[in-house]
Amino acid sequence: MIEKKYTDLITIPDQSTIVIGLSGGPDSVFLLHLLATVQSKKQLRLIAAHLDHQWRPNSYKDVTFCQQICNGLNIPLIIAQASNITLSRKHSGSQEDLGRQLRRTFFEKLAQEHNADAIALAHHFDDQMETFFMRMIRGTTLTGLTGMEKKDGLYWRPLLDLSKQEILDLLNKHKLKYIIDPSNQSSDFLRNRIRNNVLPALKNCDSRFESNFERMLKQLQETELFLEETTQQAYDTIVQDNNILNIKVLKQKKPFLQKRLLLLWLYKSQMPFTISERFINEIITFLMHERGGFHKMYASWGIEKKQHYAQIKAISLSDNSNSST
Amino acid sequence: MIEKKYTDLITIPDQSTIVIGLSGGPDSVFLLHLLATVQSKKQLRLIAAHLDHQWRPNSYKDVTFCQQICNGLNIPLIIAQASNITLSRKHSGSQEDLGRQLRRTFFEKLAQEHNADAIALAHHFDDQMETFFMRMIRGTTLTGLTGMEKKDGLYWRPLLDLSKQEILDLLNKHKLKYIIDPSNQSSDFLRNRIRNNVLPALKNCDSRFESNFERMLKQLQETELFLEETTQQAYDTIVQDNNILNIKVLKQKKPFLQKRLLLLWLYKSQMPFTISERFINEIITFLMHERGGFHKMYASWGIEKKQHYAQIKAISLSDNSNSST
């Protein structure tokens, strides 16, 4: 039984159904035990989910380990192979990104099938710090720097305030077994290079680094929340039903807000690709220009502009050859 | 003669008077030569300023070096000793901060005496990155992360987009002499620990780190500018002449904006101390409470609240013992 201080992290309503991402590593094993500790009291329905990435020839050992641990806790385990997962949108990133997208697709499918209230992930504060620097190194915005949220749609990260060391200490204290994924040590991955080199250098600079970083992150998150609310308020005055955008009102906004408004507009239209800054600037140029018309943005999407209004439209395959600008 | 690509960094109007901070190190020596290159063409009046910090027994050698280089360029040099500088506000920081405050006090006094248009400082892009991480390590806000500006009141930083390596290469190419301050190597200083350990670790993670960081910084600066403009607009509706703040209107704003508004209010009242987050929260609690009265904030300052209005007031020494919460 894990002590109350930690089970209090499980803030989800009683009788919830929860899909738990289980790799077999220390973090997800601790999360599984934590949820199992409160399961009967909170009447939770728990479903563990393990994706076999098939990156290593002996990955079946992880599957066996997860099966044993779930059997012991009497929690059903659902296993899938990465080669059987079909991504809904094209993948264009690192192997880490691919793994992440495959897991999310698998977890979301499961959550839907079981009508789950949440997908619990074992991200902790060290992950949060690593994510910050990964995004910085790749070039990002304030939104990117603010990191992962404890609650983000279906996703739920109850361990986000715990450090990796706290989790390892707890596993040790309660004699809970876990496996170590050798790919976590490899310096092929950007995340591992940050973990092994950048974060130790920062901690060496000042012993208060971690707590100061946490405080900074909280400040950045508050700033981002204010910007999100401000953008949403302006959005409601600019975009009508059917996602029709009023260019005249958009023009009255500051350039920074224009960009965020367009990002939100594209996001709500469920663009099937990542939107770069260059791309947003291209759209602004098109919208601000006097001439109307159709601006093709991607193989199957474009923006139609009539007078002061713009709308995102799908291009059918037969139209495709006629698109202009 | 330094080539046009670099002298184009000197964007200041013709016939300006410029005080140049000159330590004798590579950055400020390059800046001095750069300004000397365009001096006659732009009819600039240049005054070099060297503060002898008196941290090292042989610091007189730096003074001699600066004097030689200025004689060679026919630029007047003004020298001061740190022990003769009186700070206008109490110092409470590291030795680096103290040095910075002493230099600024000296430069500003000189600028005033000579009716200067700008104080030119030799900060470059590596300084900008180091400042980012120094502030992160100490815990900061978005404002803190956005770093130094090219133009900030009287201060002007023409080299801010150049890297340290570019400056060293140029000095080498033009056979320009400079001195090396041994304190720049010492790992006693946080800035040096960042320079020697953190930044190399980040550059090792990804060769595009520097350009991606620059892009991120630009994005953060745009975000900060939007927030500054938004705050100033709200400020104009909330604060009347004589810095009287309308609490009723303040209450209608989002908590994040309230904090920024109060920071601006205190800043414009020229508070003689650094304002912490805890301090802002204390003021918000006082202002939001129904009860009026006087809230002492610092030895000689307080906020007076009458109905919906608040005002910052100095406490005279005779009042001091009677002040209450």
Side-chain angles (χ1 to χ4, degrees):
Chain A
M1 293 292 284
I2 295 160
E3 47 269 62
K4 190 171 175 305
K5 178 180 165 192
Y6 298 101
T7 58
D8 279 353
L9 298 172
I10 308 306
T11 53
I12 212 145
D14 290 3
Q15 301 184 320
S16 296
T17 297
I18 305 167
V19 168
I20 307 162
L22 181 69
S23 69
D27 316 328
S28 63
V29 164
F30 178 71
L31 178 63
L32 186 77
H33 283 287
L34 193 65
L35 280 159
T37 304
V38 297
Q39 180 174 21
S40 68
K41 192 185 159 204
K42 286 181 77 78
Q43 302 169 55
L44 301 176
R45 188 173 150 231
L46 302 178
I47 301 157
H50 177 85
L51 182 67
D52 181 0
H53 291 87
Q54 303 168 300
W55 288 346
R56 287 170 286 118
N58 56 354
S59 65
Y60 66 91
K61 285 187 186 170
D62 299 4
V63 177
T64 312
F65 175 80
C66 289
Q67 193 63 67
Q68 282 168 353
I69 196 171
C70 285
N71 288 347
L73 292 167
N74 204 19
I75 292 171
L77 173 69
I78 299 174
I79 300 155
Q81 271 77 42
S83 54
N84 293 329
I85 306 280
T86 314
L87 293 178
S88 62
R89 52 191 267 183
K90 206 167 165 274
H91 171 71
S92 63
S94 63
Q95 194 187 7
E96 288 162 283
D97 286 331
L98 176 62
R100 185 174 159 274
Q101 277 192 50
L102 288 166
R103 286 194 299 279
R104 288 179 80 108
T105 303
F106 170 47
F107 297 157
E108 285 169 25
K109 188 168 158 279
L110 265 187
Q112 201 174 17
E113 283 170 9
H114 294 272
N115 201 17
D117 301 287
I119 298 167
L121 300 179
H123 291 122
H124 47 69
F125 188 66
D126 292 48
D127 290 322
Q128 184 74 297
M129 290 198 290
E130 288 158 22
T131 300
F132 179 96
F133 289 101
M134 283 179 75
R135 294 186 181 166
M136 172 193 286
I137 284 169
R138 290 169 174 170
T140 190
T141 59
L142 175 66
T143 314
L145 286 187
T146 51
M148 298 178 281
E149 293 168 85
K150 260 185 211 165
K151 192 89 188 72
D152 178 12
L154 255 190
Y155 288 95
W156 177 52
R157 301 181 175 91
L159 309 185
L160 206 54
D161 288 337
L162 296 188
S163 71
K164 179 84 183 185
Q165 195 54 54
E166 269 180 287
I167 293 174
L168 291 174
D169 290 347
L170 281 162
L171 287 162
N172 194 29
K173 180 179 170 189
H174 293 279
K175 301 194 181 8
L176 300 172
K177 280 185 189 153
Y178 54 87
I179 48 180
I180 298 284
D181 179 349
S183 67
N184 283 344
Q185 263 84 48
S186 156
S187 63
D188 291 348
F189 290 132
L190 175 58
R191 183 177 290 280
N192 297 339
R193 293 200 294 273
I194 291 168
R195 181 182 304 153
N196 300 328
N197 305 317
V198 176
L199 291 176
L202 285 160
K203 287 175 195 170
N204 247 329
C205 276
D206 190 314
S207 60
R208 290 157 303 178
F209 166 68
E210 254 176 272
S211 58
N212 288 346
F213 182 90
E214 198 167 358
R215 191 151 48 90
M216 177 196 71
L217 201 60
K218 201 173 142 275
Q219 300 254 22
L220 296 184
Q221 284 164 344
E222 280 175 19
T223 308
E224 175 65 14
L225 180 67
F226 173 76
L227 290 168
E228 275 170 19
E229 288 171 353
T230 304
T231 309
Q232 185 63 56
Q233 269 177 12
Y235 189 82
D236 295 340
T237 67
I238 281 179
V239 178
Q240 305 161 15
D241 296 339
N242 298 322
N243 235 0
I244 295 171
L245 182 138
N246 186 326
I247 302 169
K248 214 171 174 174
V249 189
L250 180 74
K251 279 183 182 171
Q252 294 159 7
K253 303 294 176 189
K254 297 197 176 89
F256 175 82
L257 193 56
Q258 287 177 349
K259 281 191 200 174
R260 285 198 70 128
L261 284 164
L262 290 175
L263 264 174
L264 188 59
W265 189 51
L266 294 167
Y267 176 77
K268 292 209 178 183
S269 306
Q270 300 188 293
M271 289 282 98
F273 53 91
T274 316
I275 299 146
S276 68
E277 214 210 337
R278 194 188 58 74
F279 192 77
I280 289 285
N281 289 334
E282 188 183 316
I283 294 174
I284 289 180
T285 306
F286 171 65
L287 292 182
M288 296 303 159
H289 197 282
E290 295 213 347
R291 196 155 45 96
F294 187 82
H295 187 76
K296 188 175 163 184
M297 300 194 307
Y298 197 68
S300 57
W301 293 78
I303 297 178
E304 189 180 70
K305 195 170 118 191
K306 278 185 187 165
Q307 292 165 329
H308 298 306
Y309 296 97
Q311 199 172 2
I312 296 168
K313 293 217 161 168
I315 306 169
S316 70
L317 281 177
S318 56
D319 295 341
N320 225 339
S321 57
N322 301 323
S323 62
S324 66
T325 323
Chain B
M1 292 293 281
I2 295 162
E3 46 270 60
K4 190 173 176 302
K5 179 181 165 193
Y6 299 101
T7 57
D8 278 352
L9 298 172
I10 308 305
T11 53
I12 213 145
D14 289 4
Q15 302 184 320
S16 297
T17 297
I18 305 169
V19 169
I20 307 162
L22 181 69
S23 69
D27 316 328
S28 63
V29 164
F30 177 70
L31 177 62
L32 187 76
H33 283 287
L34 193 65
L35 280 159
T37 304
V38 296
Q39 180 173 21
S40 69
K41 191 184 158 203
K42 285 181 78 76
Q43 302 169 55
L44 301 176
R45 188 174 151 231
L46 302 178
I47 301 157
H50 178 85
L51 182 67
D52 180 0
H53 291 88
Q54 303 167 299
W55 289 345
R56 286 170 287 118
N58 56 354
S59 64
Y60 67 90
K61 287 187 184 169
D62 299 3
V63 177
T64 313
F65 175 80
C66 288
Q67 193 63 68
Q68 282 168 351
I69 193 170
C70 285
N71 289 347
L73 292 167
N74 203 18
I75 293 171
L77 172 69
I78 299 173
I79 300 156
Q81 271 76 42
S83 53
N84 294 330
I85 307 281
T86 313
L87 293 179
S88 62
R89 52 190 268 182
K90 206 168 165 271
H91 170 70
S92 63
S94 62
Q95 193 188 6
E96 288 162 283
D97 287 331
L98 175 63
R100 185 174 159 275
Q101 277 192 50
L102 288 166
R103 286 193 299 278
R104 289 179 79 107
T105 303
F106 170 47
F107 297 157
E108 285 169 26
K109 187 167 159 278
L110 265 188
Q112 203 174 15
E113 282 169 11
H114 295 270
N115 201 16
D117 301 286
I119 298 166
L121 300 179
H123 291 121
H124 47 70
F125 188 66
D126 292 48
D127 290 322
Q128 185 73 299
M129 291 199 288
E130 289 159 21
T131 301
F132 180 97
F133 289 101
M134 282 180 76
R135 293 187 181 166
M136 172 192 288
I137 284 169
R138 290 169 174 171
T140 189
T141 59
L142 175 66
T143 314
L145 287 187
T146 52
M148 298 177 282
E149 293 168 85
K150 258 184 212 164
K151 191 91 188 70
D152 179 13
L154 255 190
Y155 288 95
W156 176 52
R157 301 182 174 91
L159 309 185
L160 206 53
D161 288 336
L162 296 188
S163 70
K164 178 84 182 185
Q165 194 54 54
E166 269 179 288
I167 292 173
L168 291 174
D169 291 348
L170 282 161
L171 287 163
N172 194 28
K173 180 180 168 188
H174 292 280
K175 301 196 180 7
L176 301 172
K177 280 187 189 151
Y178 52 87
I179 47 178
I180 297 284
D181 179 348
S183 67
N184 282 344
Q185 264 82 49
S186 156
S187 63
D188 291 348
F189 289 133
L190 176 58
R191 184 178 288 279
N192 297 339
R193 293 199 295 273
I194 291 168
R195 182 182 304 153
N196 300 329
N197 304 316
V198 177
L199 291 176
L202 283 160
K203 287 174 195 170
N204 248 328
C205 276
D206 190 314
S207 59
R208 291 158 302 180
F209 167 69
E210 254 176 272
S211 58
N212 288 345
F213 182 90
E214 198 167 358
R215 192 151 47 91
M216 178 196 70
L217 201 61
K218 201 172 143 279
Q219 299 257 21
L220 295 184
Q221 284 164 344
E222 281 175 19
T223 308
E224 175 65 15
L225 181 66
F226 173 77
L227 290 168
E228 274 170 18
E229 288 171 354
T230 304
T231 308
Q232 186 62 55
Q233 267 178 13
Y235 188 82
D236 295 340
T237 68
I238 282 180
V239 178
Q240 305 162 15
D241 295 340
N242 298 322
N243 235 1
I244 294 172
L245 182 138
N246 186 327
I247 302 169
K248 214 171 174 175
V249 189
L250 180 74
K251 280 184 183 173
Q252 294 158 7
K253 302 295 175 191
K254 296 198 177 88
F256 174 82
L257 193 57
Q258 287 178 348
K259 282 190 199 173
R260 284 198 71 128
L261 284 163
L262 290 175
L263 265 173
L264 188 59
W265 188 51
L266 294 167
Y267 176 77
K268 293 208 177 183
S269 305
Q270 300 187 294
M271 289 283 98
F273 53 91
T274 315
I275 299 145
S276 68
E277 213 211 337
R278 194 187 59 73
F279 192 77
I280 288 286
N281 289 334
E282 188 183 316
I283 294 173
I284 289 180
T285 307
F286 170 66
L287 292 181
M288 297 302 159
H289 197 284
E290 297 213 345
R291 198 156 44 96
F294 187 81
H295 186 77
K296 187 176 165 185
M297 300 194 308
Y298 197 67
S300 57
W301 292 78
I303 297 178
E304 189 180 69
K305 195 171 117 190
K306 277 184 186 166
Q307 291 166 330
H308 298 305
Y309 296 96
Q311 200 171 1
I312 296 168
K313 293 215 162 168
I315 306 169
S316 70
L317 280 176
S318 56
D319 294 341
N320 225 339
S321 56
N322 301 322
S323 62
S324 65
T325 306

